[in-house]
Amino acid sequence: MHPRRVARLRQTLEQRGIAAQVVHTDAAEWLERSDASFDLILLDAPCSGSGTLQKHPEWPWLVHDDLPRLTGLQRRLLTAAAERLAPGGLLIYAVCSWLPEEGEAHREWLAEARPELRPAAVWPAALGADADGATTAFFRPHPLRWEGEGFQAFAFTR
Ligand SMILES: C[S@@+](CC[C@H](N)C(=O)[O-])C[C@H]1O[C@@H](n2cnc3c(N)ncnc32)[C@H](O)[C@@H]1O
């Protein structure tokens, strides 16, 4: 949505020699109007950023009264994205937030609302460690054992 980020994206694509169609618009509206279907959708959704405390230590002291707007937008984007997922395709949703209402709650809601979607276990259950091969369709690193930014991600296939 931000022109500066779109310009940076175009620059990065050009530097790397990657051909891609860049669409600068409201993704929910665009998806709702589209009749295309996609094999892979990564929805790196706008969120409260509660997982970015390392970068933004002031976060707990700010007023976050736009959470209802954000969770509404996340659900709208998720609904539109799920609608456009091709059979056998993979939909990944991610937010840099710990708040359950920005991740886990959407996952539970989507599983119930769209029974044709199945959880896709695409992450090692113990990321960063020598895992036993177990995988998970919902990844949320433990805040006390994870050194990077906080986030949640889940995946579904159709
Ligand atoms: C978590 S960031 C994604 C960052 C991106 N993956 C990157 O590496 O630059 C979420 C982005 O969604 C954009 N955004 C917010 N509302 C949107 C909407 N309705 N449609 C499309 N993008 C939106 C924000 O401007 C922000 O750049």
Side-chain angles (χ1 to χ4, degrees), residues 1-2 5 25-28 44-47 73 77 96:
M1 292 288 272
H2 297 302
R5 293 185 88 139
T25 189
D26 181 301
D44 189 9
C47 71
L73 175 60
L77 287 164
C96 54

